[in-house]
Structures are given as structure tokens and as C-alpha cells.
Amino acid sequence: MNRLLASVGWPTRSQAGWAWLGTSPAGREIHAPQGWIVESDFGDVVGFLGNLVLPFDFRGRRLRGATGFSIVVRPEARGAGRRLISAFLNQDGVFTHYTLNANALSAPIYARHRMTPWPEATSGLKLSWIADPVACMSSRLLRAAARLEPQRIVFPERLLTSRLDTPAPLRLPQGVDVVSTFEPNGDYALYWSRLSEEGRLRVDRSPAEISWRFADPDLWRQPLVLGFRRDRGLTSVAIAVLAKGHPLEPAVLEVIDLTALSDEKDGCEILLRALIDNAPRLGAAKTRLPVVSPWLLDRLGETARTARREGGWGHCHARFGAAGPDPELWSPTAWDGDYSVCLRSAPISARSSQAA
């Protein structure tokens, strides 16, 4: 599988990383496979689709949803993609099958399997805020040059900055601080309890689930978690990952989660603004919000209006079971998809040569 992923320039996993994925609590509850492969007559893996089952909380009920990730099919295995997606959609024990991270090539395939854009109004929207336009333009030129060598899949690591090794101290506005502990009885646990009591459909963000995600052995850097507090405690939380999708791309601060209590109107925008302002201090050339729901977009105010629009091909698709909760109660973020297991961490200097 790693050879197949590397053949298209996608991040691979260590043996420990694949084993960790197999310990997904929600997946083990329903004995879900980690994915499906297609083999050639010679036993080579020529097609792969990963299967990540995530726990949902809905009014005290524990539900499960399945998100597909890293679908890759070699040219000689034409038609295998349809079979892989059919296998994914035929699995039982989940109320929804979805992807929040389809690329422009795979997006049309999902529509043929009766997966519809979701959320409908924002399924093709990504927002970004550029901090270093020179690095972003240099990346475009490097990748354009790389397309002249289509047979080459290994490139030296470019666009590294000293901040990736030695970040500057964060400068956070009043009311914002780093959330670094997730004890079962701590303030974050209280925030999750209040969030889940609101009765919306949410992917599990409990301390136990966060601890499992952050234990991924292939995370070279721990995610940055910021919280916005009022007198009564946490009212909004953001999770961001410093990623570098390809050796020829600059580092990007990917905002993979942004939530708030229903009566907190400003927290999401305050936290996002703090991440945007601190991105250069961490070595990121831009900040990106890769999954946007109408609920979240409404709370980002002027900060959303200053963003660059990315995407456009429809990267979010879902198919819901008839017996599940009302999909309108779900406002997904990148946390709800495969981003936390598929993003390539920005390398640390000691690992740069290995990552290349």
C-alpha cells in the first residue's frame, strides 16, 4: 500500500502508523475493515481505499460514520475504483458514508454512487489566508517545473524555513490560550460535555477521542489546540496542524477543527484570527480552513470575507441512511473527515531528508 501511495506522491505510513489506525475505537466496535485493496494477477496492490470509522454523538446516542480516504488506482486497474467505492458503501453498522477530502479527479466518481455534495451550500469551498506570497508563488513554479518530469515521484524538500524548527512564541489575544491537557474531569471535558448537550450531530471530540487521535505515531508534530474563554470557561476551541502536503509546497497551518457553544457568537472568528496572525511565527506560508459548513461560515464574519477561495470541485460528498438523524443537524469540519490521518506533517530538520 505504501508503494501505491508513494507512486502518486501521497504520504505513506510507518508500520506503527498502520497498526495505530487499526485500533480505531469506533471501527473495532463494528469490526470494520481498515480498507480494501485490489491486486493484480501477480499479487501487486494496484488499488486501495482506506476506511476510517468515526464515532458520532447525538443526544446521548453513540453512532458511527465511515469516511473513505486515500483512494488510489493504478492505470492498469481500470474500473477498480468503482469496485472499491461500492465495497465502502456496502458496509453495515454506520448511518452515513462520506468523504470530506475528495480531489478534483475523484469528485465526479462519488456522484455516480449516489453520494451528494454535503453540506450542499459549501461542499466545494476551502478558505485560505496567505502570509508569505513569495513562498506560495515559488511553490507554484516548482510544481509546474515538476510536471515536466511526470515519471519522477521523489523530490528534495524545498521551502523550509527556520521557524519550522524554532517557532517564535505565540502572540495570543485576550481570552485565548493553548489547551494542552485533556483530563476526563478538566475544563476541556466540561466544554465537550456542554457542546454535546446541545443536541446537534457531532463527531466525538471527547478527551478520550482526542487522546487517541493525537497518539498517531506518524504525527511528527503535535496539533496546536487553542481555546477561547469567557468567565464560565471554554466556549470555543480550534485545532490546527502544521502540514506540508508535498516537498515542493510550503508549510500550511491547516485548521482541522473549529467549534463553539451555540451562544458563543465571536469565539470561532477570534480563534481563527489568532491562528492566521501566528501562522508566520510557526513557519507557515498560509492558513487554510479545508472544510467549511454554513454554520461556521456564518460565524467567521469579516475574516471569511478577506479569505482566498480555494477548491471549487466539490470535495465533500455524503450518503445518508434513511434511519439516521437529520443531516441538517451536522456541521462538519475537517476533524470529521480523514484530515487528521492523511495530512503530511511539516518535517522537522532531523527528518527532512527522510521525508524527501
Side-chain angles (χ1 to χ4, degrees):
M1 289 187 291
N2 275 344
R3 284 195 297 271
L4 183 66
L5 292 172
S7 72
V8 293
W10 287 2
T12 58
R13 280 197 156 268
S14 66
Q15 185 173 352
W18 285 112
W20 169 83
L21 268 178
T23 68
S24 161
R28 296 180 73 174
E29 288 166 3
I30 60 173
H31 307 289
Q34 283 185 254
W36 296 267
I37 61 172
V38 175
E39 291 183 325
S40 71
D41 293 339
F42 304 100
D44 297 323
V45 176
V46 293
F48 169 69
L49 189 155
N51 183 46
L52 180 63
V53 175
L54 295 176
F56 281 70
D57 178 272
F58 179 62
R59 298 174 182 172
R61 296 165 55 198
R62 184 174 173 88
L63 305 174
R64 298 162 196 86
T67 184
F69 68 92
S70 298
I71 179 169
V72 184
V73 177
R74 292 188 62 83
E76 63 266 28
R78 187 183 179 113
R82 292 191 296 273
R83 301 199 301 275
L84 289 167
I85 295 175
S86 293
F88 167 71
L89 293 172
N90 287 335
Q91 68 178 310
D92 297 323
V94 299
F95 78 94
T96 181
H97 304 79
Y98 63 97
T99 178
L100 303 180
N101 196 13
N103 58 33
L105 290 176
S106 66
I109 300 174
Y110 294 103
R112 300 190 205 117
H113 290 266
R114 295 184 293 115
M115 296 178 72
T116 57
W118 186 262
E120 185 175 356
T122 56
S123 64
L125 181 63
K126 298 174 184 276
L127 302 178
S128 67
W129 296 264
I130 294 177
D132 188 341
V134 174
C136 292
M137 179 57 69
S138 298
S139 174
R140 292 182 64 179
L141 295 174
L142 286 169
R143 285 179 287 136
R147 285 193 286 273
L148 300 177
E149 301 180 85
Q151 75 286 352
R152 187 178 181 186
I153 60 173
V154 177
F155 294 90
E157 201 74 52
R158 304 293 190 192
L159 303 174
L160 297 171
T161 74
S162 60
R163 290 296 189 200
L164 292 174
D165 286 331
T166 312
L170 298 177
R171 292 179 178 171
L172 300 176
Q174 185 175 1
V176 176
D177 59 16
V178 175
V179 180
S180 57
T181 58
F182 302 94
E183 299 95 344
N185 298 313
D187 58 350
Y188 176 83
L190 177 60
Y191 170 74
W192 166 245
S193 177
R194 297 179 65 193
L195 199 64
S196 60
E197 286 171 359
E198 293 182 343
R200 295 184 63 82
L201 178 63
R202 300 184 189 277
V203 166
D204 191 352
R205 291 165 170 82
S206 66
E209 180 68 13
I210 284 194
S211 297
W212 178 74
R213 296 245 200 146
F214 288 6
D216 181 354
D218 290 333
L219 271 179
W220 295 351
R221 302 168 184 270
Q222 282 295 293
L224 172 64
V225 185
L226 295 183
F228 177 67
R229 301 174 188 273
R230 296 193 185 271
D231 293 339
R232 63 187 187 279
L234 283 170
T235 59
S236 187
V237 172
I239 303 177
V241 175
L242 194 60
K244 196 171 183 292
H246 189 275
L248 303 184
E249 293 179 359
V252 176
L253 191 62
E254 301 276 6
V255 184
I256 64 171
D257 203 23
L258 192 52
T259 57
L261 300 176
S262 60
D263 58 354
E264 175 55 73
K265 303 303 181 184
D266 303 320
C268 287
E269 185 173 15
I270 291 170
L271 288 176
L272 179 59
R273 190 72 252 171
L275 290 169
I276 294 169
D277 292 345
N278 281 279
R281 306 180 69 78
L282 300 172
K286 67 178 178 179
T287 304
R288 178 160 50 206
L289 190 62
V291 176
V292 187
S293 72
W295 180 93
L296 182 55
L297 189 62
D298 183 57
R299 281 157 177 77
L300 296 183
E302 185 60 30
T303 302
R305 288 186 280 276
T306 64
R308 177 176 177 264
R309 265 56 179 172
E310 294 188 11
W313 56 82
H315 51 279
C316 303
H317 304 265
R319 196 165 92 178
F320 297 96
D326 182 357
E328 294 295 334
L329 296 172
W330 184 30
S331 298
T333 70
W335 178 266
D336 302 32
D338 65 4
Y339 286 86
S340 64
V341 302
C342 288
L343 287 175
R344 176 180 181 267
S345 292
I348 299 170
S349 60
R351 296 179 182 262
S352 295
S353 59
Q354 178 182 339

